[in-house]
Amino acid sequence: MRAPDWLTSRPVAHRGLHDISRGIVENMPGAVQAAIAGNFSIEVDIQLSADGEAMVHHDHALGRLTDATGELIEKTAAELRALTFKDTAERMMSLSDLCAVVAGRVPLVIEVKSRFDGDRKLVTRMAEVLASYDGPAVGMSFDPDQVLALRELLPSRPRGIVAQRTYEDEYWAKLTQAQRDSMLYLRHGLQTQPHFVAFKVDHLPAPAPWIARNVFGCALLGWTVRTPEQRTRVGQYADQMIFEGFVP
């Protein structure tokens, strides 16, 4: 169940090697190119557009980085590509666009963003795109159902679960208690069979990722490393880091 060695062989740039002070926006082409130039793996997020395209963007809502408002899922791929991003002339990519830019030069770590509603159209589209992509790429998600979808729809690609110790903060309030409980302790692991775990660095060490790594042979990534202290922690307890805000 262990991921390939290339997943942990180099640091992973969180949403690309972005730096807003230099006009390099997360998940945008400039951040991808900067990560490639640094020979880092690239973590990106994908979301589903209104017309079923996999778009590279983190937030469900559009207001933080763009001059638009509303939910990403309510706009078509063409509308999303036409959006103006604050302080930059860059445009949102689809997963296909991303693959064309990267062209196999560094590994891709693709996080499937989920609304926890059982919809698998995003993973279905991801599978269609990656079927014709020869470069190294893995998929992962916080949502166990999406990881199961990765197992069923992309069986030849390594898959991972994104996790943390608890899910009681405000970000997870939209989920039911049963949904939050289902994510605890990686208890879905026998069903989802992840090849790696991406665990919140400040929550390391923890029993569940230790067992996944040392008993089941899963690779362990720590996210998101921003400080020297977090870098020391991930070096003690994980195989590699997902980093942001500095250049290793």
Side-chain angles (χ1 to χ4, degrees):
M1 293 175 68
R2 190 171 179 85
D5 290 342
W6 51 254
L7 179 63
T8 56
S9 66
R10 67 188 93 186
V12 183
H14 186 236
R15 306 178 195 172
L17 197 62
H18 56 94
D19 182 351
I20 194 63
S21 68
R22 298 194 293 127
I24 304 175
V25 181
E26 65 182 57
N27 281 320
M28 292 291 112
V32 170
Q33 293 285 11
I36 293 170
N39 198 32
F40 299 116
S41 298
I42 303 169
E43 186 267 354
V44 296
D45 309 281
I46 59 171
Q47 303 247 16
L48 189 69
S49 69
D51 52 349
E53 187 57 88
M55 303 300 295
V56 180
H57 195 70
H58 177 270
D59 300 355
H60 291 306
L62 292 167
R64 179 172 66 93
L65 295 176
T66 78
D67 294 319
T69 58
E71 295 289 305
L72 185 151
I73 198 170
E74 296 173 352
K75 297 185 182 297
T76 65
E79 290 171 327
L80 292 167
R81 285 191 177 100
L83 292 180
T84 301
F85 280 73
K86 298 173 183 177
D87 304 318
T88 178
E90 293 204 288
R91 293 290 184 264
M92 192 183 300
M93 297 180 289
S94 68
L95 181 57
S96 294
D97 298 331
L98 173 67
C99 290
V101 170
V102 176
R105 288 177 286 176
V106 297
L108 287 174
V109 180
I110 304 165
E111 181 178 345
V112 177
K113 304 303 287 186
S114 175
R115 294 175 179 270
F116 290 83
D117 56 4
D119 190 335
R120 296 186 174 189
K121 288 195 290 290
L122 181 55
V123 174
T124 298
R125 178 56 183 154
M126 177 180 173
E128 292 171 351
V129 172
L130 293 185
S132 58
Y133 183 68
D134 294 330
V138 300
M140 65 181 186
S141 182
F142 273 103
D143 185 348
D145 185 64
Q146 297 301 321
V147 181
L148 183 59
L150 290 169
R151 179 187 174 193
E152 294 174 351
L153 298 174
L154 288 90
S156 65
R157 294 280 182 178
R159 60 189 168 273
I161 185 73
V162 191
Q164 54 193 63
R165 269 184 180 265
T166 64
Y167 300 90
E168 298 304 323
D169 54 83
E170 183 179 354
Y171 181 85
W172 301 104
K174 63 182 181 293
L175 302 185
T176 66
Q177 189 64 51
Q179 285 176 313
R180 293 196 296 273
D181 288 347
S182 73
M183 298 160 66
L184 290 172
Y185 316 123
L186 306 178
R187 56 177 47 148
H188 51 78
L190 292 179
Q191 182 181 28
T192 56
Q193 297 185 19
H195 300 91
F196 67 96
V197 176
F199 209 79
K200 188 171 184 177
V201 64
D202 290 338
H203 290 185
L204 291 171
W210 187 94
I211 292 170
R213 183 189 191 199
N214 293 285
V215 177
F216 293 101
C218 292
L220 181 58
L221 307 177
W223 59 269
T224 300
V225 174
R226 298 182 175 92
T227 68
E229 294 77 15
Q230 290 173 328
R231 190 170 184 179
T232 297
R233 182 182 293 269
V234 85
Q236 291 174 325
Y237 301 113
D239 299 302
Q240 190 51 269
M241 63 178 172
I242 301 173
F243 73 94
E244 178 181 282
F246 67 98
V247 178

